[in-house]
Amino acid sequence: MTYIKNKKYNFIIMKKTHLYENYDDYIKFQLKKTSDKSKQKKWLGPEWQVKIDIFKNLFNNNINYIKNKKNAICLGSRTGQEVVALKDLGITDVIGIDLHEFEPYTIKGDIHNLDFDLNHFDFAFTNILDHSLYPEKFASEVTRVLKKNGIFILHVQYAINQDKYTEVIIENINQVEVLFKGLKLIKKNKIESGIIAMNYEFIFVKE
């Protein structure tokens, strides 16, 4: 593996065995995970309700930030458990995007190039910053599609082992706030997320 330091944001960008020759190669590599039939069977089977319950618990911990929101997007939602959790909590207009669609909860989309208008959503969630090839572009897209006073919840893995599809390793937890400089940080804390394996939470608002 080769490692490229992004000095501006203090991230390590990790490429797998070779540098991608183009963006399509990155997409193809990430699709290996979401297109894996054995993983899909696990996500849609034994992990389905378990993850819904975990997401509902995590979102419930921040229900005051969520309860009045009307429409939401979940970025990198795979089979859509976080989408279901938000629907159960009262956000009826919520959609997930991922490189591989899983109807009815997740449509095909690219986190670096969101196919939504400026100021479209009043709530956004993701836990796949680590799978972003261009974290700065990802952050700018989240900021762009959020409405004024929109809330963004970010879950990350920090100082724990990550899978082979990881593109970004957070070297300094405080630099996440710098990355999302277009938003105001209103909460930061450790979390326990069980099999989802995220251990840090950030909540931002678009002023």
Side-chain angles (χ1 to χ4, degrees):
M1 295 182 181
T2 58
Y3 296 83
I4 300 176
K5 185 73 172 292
N6 182 330
K7 295 180 180 179
K8 183 177 180 181
Y9 291 113
N10 204 20
F11 282 99
I12 295 175
I13 308 301
M14 183 172 71
K15 306 295 179 99
K16 311 297 185 282
T17 68
H18 66 283
L19 297 175
Y20 298 118
E21 292 185 0
N22 52 57
Y23 190 67
D24 284 343
D25 286 347
Y26 157 74
I27 295 293
K28 290 175 183 176
F29 181 73
Q30 290 296 327
L31 272 170
K32 289 181 180 179
K33 182 173 186 176
T34 49
S35 300
D36 187 314
K37 297 299 183 183
S38 63
K39 292 183 183 297
Q40 291 179 10
K41 185 176 181 180
K42 181 172 64 176
W43 298 336
L44 292 167
E47 289 188 358
W48 177 254
Q49 189 61 47
V50 173
K51 286 187 175 180
I52 290 174
D53 293 341
I54 290 171
F55 279 122
K56 284 178 70 174
N57 181 62
L58 290 168
F59 291 144
N60 253 322
N61 290 338
N62 299 296
I63 195 65
N64 288 337
Y65 298 110
I66 296 172
K67 61 183 179 182
N68 295 321
K69 299 307 178 184
K70 304 299 183 184
N71 67 334
I73 184 169
C74 297
L75 305 161
S77 56
R78 294 185 188 169
T79 44
Q81 285 97 326
E82 55 264 69
V83 175
V84 176
L86 288 171
K87 285 180 177 290
D88 287 349
L89 292 174
I91 304 180
T92 56
D93 185 6
V94 54
I95 192 64
I97 70 158
D98 209 302
L99 294 173
H100 189 297
E101 68 178 2
F102 293 94
E103 294 183 348
Y105 304 116
T106 300
I107 62 173
K108 187 175 181 179
D110 185 345
I111 60 173
H112 301 109
N113 186 25
L114 299 176
D115 192 21
F116 298 96
D117 294 335
L118 178 72
N119 305 323
H120 188 81
F121 298 99
D122 58 15
F123 181 78
F125 168 76
T126 194
N127 61 7
I128 64 151
L129 175 62
D130 58 321
H131 286 187
S132 170
L133 183 62
Y134 303 123
E136 303 96 327
K137 176 62 174 172
F138 182 24
S140 70
E141 281 292 272
V142 171
T143 303
R144 181 183 67 80
V145 300
L146 269 183
K147 296 176 182 177
K148 183 177 180 180
N149 299 318
I151 293 293
F152 171 51
I153 295 182
L154 169 69
H155 292 168
V156 301
Q157 292 178 323
Y158 178 61
I160 59 177
N161 292 332
Q162 303 188 38
D163 69 21
K164 67 179 182 180
Y165 297 97
T166 296
E167 300 290 352
V168 174
I169 297 175
I170 298 172
E171 191 178 49
N172 181 339
I173 197 68
N174 296 319
Q175 290 300 312
V176 175
E177 183 178 359
V178 178
L179 179 65
F180 290 91
K181 61 185 183 297
L183 304 173
K184 179 183 178 181
L185 181 67
I186 56 177
K187 184 179 179 182
K188 176 175 69 175
N189 55 274
K190 293 181 179 180
I191 59 172
E192 294 184 5
S193 64
I195 62 172
I196 297 175
M198 297 289 142
N199 64 349
Y200 232 96
E201 175 179 76
F202 294 82
I203 302 181
F204 298 88
V205 63
K206 183 174 180 180
E207 295 185 309

